[in-house]
Amino acid sequence: MNEQQTLETTVFIMFYGGVTVLSLIACLYLLFRRGNAFAADVTSPARLRHWTAVFFAAFTLGHLWYLPSYFSSSNDDMILTGLIGGLLDTMIIFPLAIIILFCMLQDRKRPLWPAALMVAPLVAGMAWSIYCRSMDFLPVIRVYFLLMCMGLGIYMVREVRRYGRWLRDNYADLEHKEVSQSLVVMAIILFVFVFYVAGYGLPAYEYVTQMVGTILICFLLWRVETLSDLSLSQSVLPSEEEEPVTAENQEDYALAQASDDNTRALLKEHCEDTELYLLHDLTLYQLAKTIGTNRTYLTRYFARQGTTYNAYINSLRINHFVSLSREAAAAQRPFTAQKLAHESGFQSYSTFSLAFKQRMGQTASSWMRELLAAALIIFGFSFLTSCSSSDNDPKPDTTVLDQWEAGKTVTTEAITAFGGFDRCFAAEPIPDGVWQRMQGKTYKENPYIQRMLLPDVYDADDETQMRDNNSSCFCYRNIAATTNLSKHARGLTVDINTLYNPYIKTLDDGTLLIQPATSKPYCDRDWDFPYKIDHEDLCFRLFTEAGFEWGGDWTNRKDYQHFEVVE
């Protein structure tokens, strides 16, 4: 029996010593190694790295303190050693663990004194127990400790959620910044705390404690190594630190007194036209600095547009991805979603997948399958043929189109049931004169049109594509709030720069209907802003000369973006 106890003690001491050595190695590694072993491309936050090294050092010293108690035969000495060890844990280990949780959230530099305040009653209770050399007060200490863990857990969940919102508002690519990892660290640390106190006296308590300690050391080391230092991407010189925009300092910023239109124009010039959004890990601070403003003003600008920095950048990237995909599919070039996502500015494919699904309403893989499987691509420019046709030209038979419900996906089986492609669709040659006028021209070099994507990109949702200032023609749908087929479904209507040229109608109850809803500032047509269409605009003159009617001239409603062929 004695030999068995000796063997069990020897095995445990070896295990205990191994955990102690592991903690010491982790401490020295964080203090002296330059660069990361787990993620060589990541620079860890120095503050977190240093505090974690201090935690490992305290962990090591704590293990060394408890070690003699395993060789002591005196019950009083073991109790005193345990009480002093508990005091050291509450004074050093527990506050350091809380500090590590604070340091992992990089949205702001949190004060560290609350950690000391939380453990102060524990320290007082353990000191009193040592003074009395009694364990009678320990149940009260345990109750407070569990309540402290509950309060800490609630506080950290709130702070992690706030941190997540801050990340989404300031960073387009969230790789190496994952909020979920912070929650996992918090859960592990709280579990260690609770088990340390509530599990005392359970079978195999000592072994489980060492195993949990090993897991904590390994996970903390991995988390520190793979967490990116966000201060590097938004650091400023002392003279460049940002101030809140106030009436006193407002003139110090280039855009503080500029309108949202000026900001939008600068974003187009310095971000969209230059494709700055393709820069991996582009931050809000970097974008604000590029266009000559500060993060506070730019954040407020995005809020007024009903969006966030993260949504703005990812929207541009998704559009770029869609464009690359369509170009590759049209040219029959092999491509993968991972490759195109990386070329579109996404450093993390998981971030891309989430952003794509939020933007497009379906996964990237399913969207690409539909793209590659499509047997027919309709380029909505059949209005060119209509423009060049004479009044004596026969009108195409569109009866079958009226039988289909707008907005529904047309399957191959449905087309076959209607009599095949020849009956449902018609392809007519573009007249030579029109074709010659088209040569060498592209909307990307046209300063009058900001964006031109197929409505499919927006799931044929008018409001969504209008908010994105998308110019388009063909879209098989009904007229809003009716069952009548829109001229868009026949390629006879063009909508230009839809955000800046809204649809406006006074309803029967006297309320004003504005589409898109975000274009309210552009209902006042008496002041100048980019992309505005009026009677002096080149866009108006070109379309009306080609036989189009402008919706801005209607009397019962105004549709300033709208040009349609007069039939």
Side-chain angles (χ1 to χ4, degrees):
M1 187 66 179
N2 290 336
E3 292 181 357
Q4 183 178 356
Q5 289 180 342
T6 302
L7 178 61
E8 291 178 354
T9 302
T10 302
V11 171
F12 175 75
I13 294 300
M14 292 176 62
F15 185 22
Y16 187 92
V19 176
T20 305
V21 172
L22 176 64
S23 178
L24 178 61
I25 293 174
C27 171
L28 297 176
Y29 171 82
L30 292 179
L31 286 177
F32 300 109
R33 178 179 170 85
R34 295 182 178 179
N36 293 347
F38 296 106
D41 60 328
V42 175
T43 301
S44 305
R47 187 170 183 244
L48 175 62
R49 196 178 184 92
H50 294 158
W51 278 113
T52 306
V54 173
F55 173 80
F56 287 152
F59 191 92
T60 303
L61 294 175
H63 266 53
L64 293 176
W65 170 263
Y66 282 111
L67 187 61
S69 65
Y70 293 104
F71 299 98
S72 176
S73 57
S74 171
N75 187 56
D76 291 340
D77 290 344
M78 293 178 63
I79 291 176
L80 183 60
T81 300
L83 289 174
I84 295 176
L87 176 63
L88 295 175
D89 287 345
T90 56
M91 290 179 60
I92 303 174
I93 299 293
F94 296 161
L96 287 175
I98 296 172
I99 288 173
I100 289 174
L101 290 176
F102 289 174
C103 290
M104 264 190 286
L105 308 182
Q106 301 181 68
D107 53 330
R108 60 188 176 92
K109 194 172 182 179
R110 288 171 173 77
L112 304 181
W113 60 264
L117 185 63
M118 280 188 282
V119 301
L122 295 176
V123 173
M126 292 304 302
W128 177 257
S129 297
I130 293 173
Y131 175 78
C132 298
R133 294 205 174 192
S134 171
M135 301 180 70
D136 294 341
F137 198 61
L138 290 185
V140 177
I141 295 177
R142 289 194 180 99
V143 171
Y144 173 79
F145 188 87
L146 294 177
L147 292 175
M148 183 196 76
C149 289
M150 291 175 59
L152 178 62
I154 294 172
Y155 171 78
M156 286 305 301
V157 167
R158 189 192 68 174
E159 291 300 294
V160 168
R161 292 181 62 185
R162 177 184 298 177
Y163 179 58
R165 291 193 295 269
W166 177 80
L167 285 178
R168 289 190 294 272
D169 288 344
N170 289 273
Y171 293 88
D173 200 326
L174 303 182
E175 188 180 33
H176 302 315
K177 314 173 187 68
E178 299 88 346
V179 175
S180 59
Q181 298 295 343
S182 301
L183 289 172
V184 172
V185 173
M186 179 192 72
I188 291 178
I189 289 179
L190 289 179
F191 173 77
V192 172
F193 282 2
V194 173
F195 184 80
Y196 176 85
V197 172
Y200 184 79
L202 295 177
Y205 171 79
E206 298 291 348
Y207 281 97
V208 175
T209 301
Q210 301 310 308
M211 290 179 63
V212 172
T214 303
I215 295 173
L216 179 62
I217 293 170
C218 294
F219 189 82
L220 279 180
L221 186 60
W222 175 82
R223 179 75 290 228
V224 171
E225 288 277 282
T226 57
L227 184 65
S228 180
D229 186 357
L230 304 186
S231 64
L232 297 179
S233 59
Q234 56 184 349
S235 58
V236 295
L237 298 175
S239 61
E240 297 176 332
E241 290 182 354
E242 298 183 63
E243 305 174 13
V245 178
T246 63
E248 290 75 16
N249 66 13
Q250 195 169 16
E251 66 276 3
D252 295 334
Y253 298 106
L255 295 181
Q257 295 180 336
S259 67
D260 285 355
D261 298 297
N262 290 333
T263 305
R264 188 177 294 107
L266 287 172
L267 286 173
K268 180 181 183 302
E269 178 183 355
H270 297 290
C271 180
E272 298 174 22
D273 292 348
T274 62
E275 297 186 337
L276 179 67
Y277 55 85
L278 299 182
L279 179 65
H280 288 166
D281 218 7
L282 177 68
T283 68
L284 175 66
Y285 169 73
Q286 292 169 334
L287 179 60
K289 187 175 181 182
T290 299
I291 67 172
T293 185
N294 62 85
R295 285 178 295 181
T296 302
Y297 181 84
L298 194 54
T299 298
R300 292 173 180 173
Y301 163 77
F302 285 129
R304 287 193 296 272
Q305 308 308 307
T307 186
T308 64
Y309 164 75
N310 178 274
Y312 169 73
I313 293 297
N314 282 341
S315 176
L316 295 175
R317 290 176 172 177
I318 293 299
N319 290 343
H320 191 83
F321 173 87
V322 169
S323 178
L324 292 180
S325 301
R326 294 190 185 280
E327 290 175 5
Q332 297 184 342
R333 295 194 308 266
F335 63 93
T336 63
Q338 289 84 351
K339 181 176 182 297
L340 295 187
H342 191 268
E343 293 178 1
S344 300
F346 290 98
Q347 191 171 358
S348 166
Y349 186 74
S350 59
T351 300
F352 160 75
S353 298
L354 179 60
F356 189 94
K357 189 171 184 179
Q358 290 175 341
R359 179 76 167 77
M360 305 294 287
Q362 62 183 135
T363 63
S365 57
S366 63
W367 181 86
M368 293 182 70
R369 280 195 300 269
E370 293 178 4
L371 174 66
L372 296 174
L376 181 64
I377 302 177
I378 302 176
F379 299 95
F381 294 101
S382 59
F383 70 89
L384 292 171
T385 303
S386 301
C387 296
S388 61
S389 300
S390 67
D391 294 336
N392 296 325
D393 289 339
K395 301 297 182 181
D397 181 11
T398 59
T399 305
V400 67
L401 298 180
D402 297 326
Q403 300 177 26
W404 286 348
E405 183 180 352
K408 297 295 184 181
T409 301
V410 181
T411 64
T412 303
E413 292 76 10
I415 293 173
T416 303
F418 276 115
F421 286 103
D422 292 340
R423 184 186 176 200
C424 302
F425 300 96
E428 301 179 12
I430 298 175
D432 293 340
V434 175
W435 177 256
Q436 291 300 324
R437 290 168 58 192
M438 291 171 56
Q439 297 312 297
K441 298 178 181 178
T442 169
Y443 85 90
K444 292 183 178 179
E445 299 174 0
N446 188 329
Y448 298 100
I449 298 179
Q450 181 183 30
R451 182 174 293 104
M452 188 185 297
L453 298 172
L454 289 176
D456 309 49
V457 174
Y458 306 93
D459 290 332
D461 183 79
D462 243 15
E463 179 71 17
T464 302
Q465 68 169 329
M466 284 192 292
R467 290 190 180 198
D468 204 29
N469 199 36
N470 188 51
S471 299
S472 64
C473 174
F474 180 84
C475 181
Y476 191 82
R477 62 174 178 82
N478 288 333
I479 300 173
T482 73
T483 58
N484 300 322
L485 202 61
S486 166
K487 283 191 175 182
H488 281 286
R490 297 163 55 197
L492 301 178
T493 298
V494 185
D495 290 338
I496 304 293
N497 293 327
T498 50
L499 175 65
Y500 300 92
N501 300 283
Y503 173 89
I504 308 171
K505 181 179 180 180
T506 303
L507 302 179
D508 294 338
D509 59 1
T511 59
L512 203 62
L513 173 64
I514 302 174
Q515 294 178 325
T518 53
S519 64
K520 185 176 180 179
Y522 311 109
C523 292
D524 183 358
R525 312 302 289 182
D526 292 332
W527 59 288
D528 292 328
F529 46 84
Y531 307 116
K532 174 186 173 184
I533 299 176
D534 56 23
H535 287 103
E536 305 301 322
D537 187 62
L538 176 63
C539 183
F540 169 82
R541 296 201 303 270
L542 291 177
F543 273 96
T544 52
E545 288 172 4
F548 283 76
E549 180 182 71
W550 182 43
D553 286 332
W554 295 344
T555 55
N556 60 339
R557 64 192 186 282
K558 298 293 183 181
D559 198 349
Y560 295 106
Q561 64 190 249
H562 185 94
F563 292 93
E564 69 174 50
V565 174
V566 179
E567 293 185 292

